[in-house]
Amino acid sequence: MPKITVDGKTIECKDRTNILQACLDAGVEEPYYCYHPGLSVVASCRICLCEVEGIPKLVPSCQTQVRDGMVVHFNSSKSIANQKQTMEYLLINHPLDCPVCDQAGECLLQDYSYEYGRAQSRFEEDKAKKPKKDVGPDVLLYSDRCIMCTRCVRFTREVSGTSELYVDGRGYKEEIDIFPGQPLNNKLSLNVVDLCPVGALLDKDFLFQQRVWLLKRTPSISPVDAGGENIYLEWNEGKLYRIKPRYNAEVNKWWINDDTRHSYKAVHAENRLRQAMKKELGALIACGFNDAAETAVKQLKQIVTDHGQGSLYAVLSPMMACEEAYLLGQLIRSIDAQATLVLGPVPRSDDDVFKHYLDGKETFRIQGEKVPNRKGIEHVMQKLGGSAIDFATFSTSTAGAVKGGWIVGGYLSNWIGAEVPAVLRSGFRVVQDILPNELTRQCDVLLPSAAWAEKSGCWENYQGKVQAFDAAVAPPPGARVEGNVYHKLLGKSGMYDAEVLRNELGEPYSQAKLPTEADLAGQPAFEFVEL
Ligand code: SF4
Ligand code: FES
């Protein structure tokens, strides 16, 4: 491993890495704008220039490979003069509208102005005025804030492969733009907002919603497909405001798809179910949650007394955490040892595959399986043993084949459609869900449940990778976390604890741990990839 000295500090580097990345890996902060390890290196912003002993002129640290014994200075007078000049140049036409800019608080231009800039501007002429542009359904471009790092342009070429963005004009008239009639409208489009080091590219959804320093972050997993993208849920005062990618080299690298970003909306949907109900004299009436849950269990027991074993079923949703599915399986089998376990519907479409615009190599894939935990639920069903089938097979059963069951939804949109399968239209039905649908209107007992961002658990992605997630916000009043409900109905002692259940489920579930503060702090924001 080569060793280099940066401002008097010796650091060990990976072979063939560049000076800037070596510094970032070693936790040595140096300024950079245009560099990103997931994109090609263009060395255009010039803020990262450093002095290397033996080389007469400054070199871009993002583009200069380390050599053993290299002595690098970011704090020499030459390097500092370059940092100040670069900052002064970048700020010449910058509007300085930090008080109304969404990026304030996480803006590299703002941070470096404090650290490397001049206290006062010497520019007396009029600033160039550039327009605000609506570049796509989800993204706005405030051109006057742009520092022309071209990260966004490179992303649309090298990762999404869609090439919607380009650099128009030359010199101080340069602007990022889209081609006429070709908006930035791919399923990875919002990654350019994360990549933009200033507030030029903005997420329409988050525009003027919150100051970023008020947001807290909870590590979580994407609920929209089987990819298992690692994310941060960002929230304040019990409300989710945005979802950002969390780096995972094996799963999603630095990127997430736009559906993942928008998935928080279902959590705060106005029509979230909040009131437990039970059917009396043919009509659903509001009742206490405990009353509804106890009625459900009592009625299911009565069915087994009247019709014998094998007359019950439980629909385990692939939106459920493995731990919850395991408990519901135990609950239904404690009432009817021969109850059938049914894997809930698994909506599918084709995978969305993204390729590098030049070499056609795959860069990102959005899984076509539009639920996060089909694999995990199948494994839990195997572990529980007994009769287990998928929803398509179950739906073909004739009405009355089973006499009662417990059905869990939890999907982020209407999953049952207008036509409820005949087998679910008869018998006694307990439904646990987050949003209203035809089944929640027809059922015999309704138990409002928690969305994924409101509970802890683990999901198994399409690769068989089991990943834990944590609750960021509380469920709405009246809704309860499924795991808590089953834990109580099973008469288990203590509090429901997802981690204890993961240990009970054994490998690989017992290995799934929530990232600790230390893990997250030590996680490289960037990891160098050779393109
Ligand atoms: S819009 Fe942002 S990411 Fe794109 S070139 Fe400008 S500063 Fe860079
Ligand atoms: S980060 Fe090195 S030149 Fe921009």
Side-chain angles (χ1 to χ4, degrees):
M1 266 192 167
K3 279 188 189 158
I4 63 169
T5 308
V6 179
D7 296 333
K9 187 178 171 194
T10 305
I11 55 177
E12 274 200 15
C13 326
K14 290 182 195 148
D15 282 327
R16 305 186 61 206
T17 193
N18 60 61
I19 299 172
L20 178 61
Q21 186 64 54
C23 292
L24 295 172
D25 291 344
V28 178
E29 293 262 328
E30 301 302 349
Y32 60 95
Y33 289 118
C34 64
Y35 177 69
H36 189 284
L39 303 174
S40 58
V41 177
V42 289
S44 62
C45 75
R46 316 310 278 177
I47 188 81
C48 78
L49 264 52
C50 62
E51 211 174 340
V52 175
E53 286 186 13
I55 301 180
K57 59 177 190 170
L58 294 175
V59 295
S61 62
C62 61
Q63 208 178 34
T64 309
Q65 201 167 308
V66 294
R67 258 184 300 105
D68 194 33
M70 209 176 217
V71 182
V72 179
H73 301 281
F74 282 95
N75 63 2
S76 68
S77 53
K78 250 171 140 180
S79 301
I80 290 173
N82 171 70
Q83 289 156 6
K84 285 197 183 306
Q85 281 161 16
T86 306
M87 283 308 301
E88 187 173 31
Y89 171 74
L90 289 176
L91 289 170
I92 278 179
N93 285 310
H94 196 80
L96 302 181
D97 57 352
C98 303
V100 294
C101 178
D102 267 353
Q103 190 85 359
E106 55 183 8
C107 174
L108 291 185
L109 196 63
Q110 205 175 45
D111 295 349
Y112 296 166
S113 291
Y114 286 119
E115 229 165 306
Y116 307 100
R118 291 174 191 272
Q120 292 197 327
S121 169
R122 294 180 294 170
F123 189 70
E124 286 170 359
E125 288 75 22
D126 287 341
K127 286 177 186 268
K129 294 195 178 51
K130 291 180 184 169
K132 295 181 175 60
K133 297 176 190 171
D134 191 354
V135 290
D138 296 317
V139 182
L140 281 177
L141 170 65
Y142 282 33
S143 306
D144 50 2
R145 293 180 187 158
C146 173
I147 58 165
M148 296 307 301
C149 71
T150 71
R151 279 183 180 189
C152 56
V153 175
R154 281 175 282 147
F155 177 84
T156 61
R157 294 178 182 177
E158 297 164 12
V159 182
S160 70
T162 44
S163 303
E164 296 101 334
L165 297 175
Y166 76 107
V167 179
D168 191 49
R170 286 288 180 273
Y172 84 101
K173 290 195 171 169
E174 269 186 345
E175 280 175 33
I176 299 298
D177 213 337
I178 48 171
F179 295 97
Q182 301 211 334
L184 177 64
N185 191 14
N186 65 74
K187 291 186 178 173
L188 299 179
S189 71
L190 282 162
N191 288 288
V192 299
V193 176
D194 300 336
L195 282 170
C196 185
V198 296
L201 286 164
L202 297 161
D203 180 349
K204 287 183 187 172
D205 202 38
F206 185 66
L207 195 68
F208 307 136
Q209 290 299 308
Q210 279 282 296
R211 304 297 352 200
V212 296
W213 52 85
L214 298 176
L215 296 173
K216 290 97 185 156
R217 296 184 132 188
T218 303
S220 187
I221 304 297
S222 166
V224 300
D225 59 48
E229 291 168 358
N230 287 213
I231 54 174
Y232 282 110
L233 300 174
E234 298 199 347
W235 54 276
N236 185 26
E237 295 182 344
K239 187 167 180 233
L240 298 168
Y241 282 96
R242 66 177 185 180
I243 291 180
K244 287 279 183 183
R246 181 159 55 92
Y247 178 76
N248 186 323
E250 291 161 23
V251 182
N252 53 301
K253 300 203 175 83
W254 305 268
W255 327 119
I256 54 174
N257 75 75
D258 291 355
D259 289 342
T260 296
R261 289 185 200 259
H262 294 142
S263 60
Y264 77 90
K265 290 180 185 170
V267 177
H268 300 305
E270 280 191 4
N271 58 349
R272 274 290 298 270
L273 296 171
R274 291 156 195 267
Q275 178 62 59
M277 304 186 107
K278 64 179 181 181
K279 205 171 252 177
E280 274 184 15
L281 302 172
L284 276 173
I285 55 157
C287 64
F289 197 101
N290 291 344
D291 181 15
E294 278 155 22
T295 304
V297 172
K298 206 166 122 198
Q299 291 289 332
L300 291 172
K301 282 181 177 164
Q302 190 58 48
I303 289 170
V304 179
T305 308
D306 295 346
H307 300 277
Q309 302 268 319
S311 42
L312 298 187
Y313 62 91
V315 176
L316 308 182
S317 164
M319 298 298 294
M320 294 172 90
C322 295
E323 300 88 332
E324 293 173 334
Y326 184 53
L327 280 189
L328 178 56
Q330 287 182 353
L331 177 66
I332 202 79
R333 291 273 172 81
S334 72
I335 302 169
D336 175 357
Q338 289 176 30
T340 301
L341 301 181
V342 183
L343 168 67
V346 179
R348 283 195 176 84
S349 62
D350 291 339
D351 286 2
D352 288 295
V353 182
F354 296 87
K355 294 178 179 170
H356 192 287
Y357 82 126
L358 281 181
D359 59 20
K361 269 197 204 145
E362 185 175 321
T363 51
F364 197 84
R365 180 179 286 259
I366 303 175
Q367 293 299 311
E369 189 172 290
K370 296 300 175 196
V371 285
N373 199 27
R374 188 259 313 157
K375 229 176 177 160
I377 299 297
E378 281 176 355
H379 285 156
V380 168
M381 284 165 51
Q382 274 166 20
K383 183 152 180 85
L384 288 161
S387 166
I389 53 174
D390 63 22
F391 194 77
T393 314
F394 181 63
S395 301
T396 58
S397 316
T398 47
V402 277
K403 307 295 177 200
W406 194 299
I407 305 148
V408 182
Y411 296 80
L412 303 180
S413 57
N414 188 348
W415 61 280
I416 197 75
E419 192 60 29
V420 178
V423 69
L424 292 179
R425 285 202 300 270
S426 64
F428 179 78
R429 294 145 303 161
V430 183
V431 173
Q432 246 178 324
D433 215 332
I434 59 170
L435 295 170
N437 55 49
E438 205 39 49
L439 203 50
T440 61
R441 284 185 275 275
Q442 290 181 14
C443 66
D444 298 280
V445 173
L446 175 63
L447 300 171
S449 62
W452 103 103
E454 298 160 348
K455 58 190 176 184
S456 304
C458 72
W459 284 331
E460 187 172 348
N461 81 348
Y462 77 103
Q463 301 161 301
K465 206 171 175 53
V466 181
Q467 304 183 102
F469 55 90
D470 203 4
V473 293
R480 291 201 191 165
V481 172
E482 292 97 310
N484 278 330
V485 177
Y486 311 142
H487 185 87
K488 197 161 172 231
L489 292 174
L490 280 162
K492 291 187 179 249
S493 58
M495 299 282 287
Y496 165 69
D497 185 337
E499 201 168 339
V500 170
L501 279 161
R502 283 203 283 283
N503 288 333
E504 221 173 282
L505 275 165
E507 295 248 354
Y509 304 96
S510 52
Q511 297 300 317
K513 301 267 182 272
L514 285 169
T516 61
E517 290 279 320
D519 293 337
L520 295 173
Q523 188 189 39
F526 285 163
E527 184 170 295
F528 185 65
V529 285
E530 235 176 284
L531 294 163

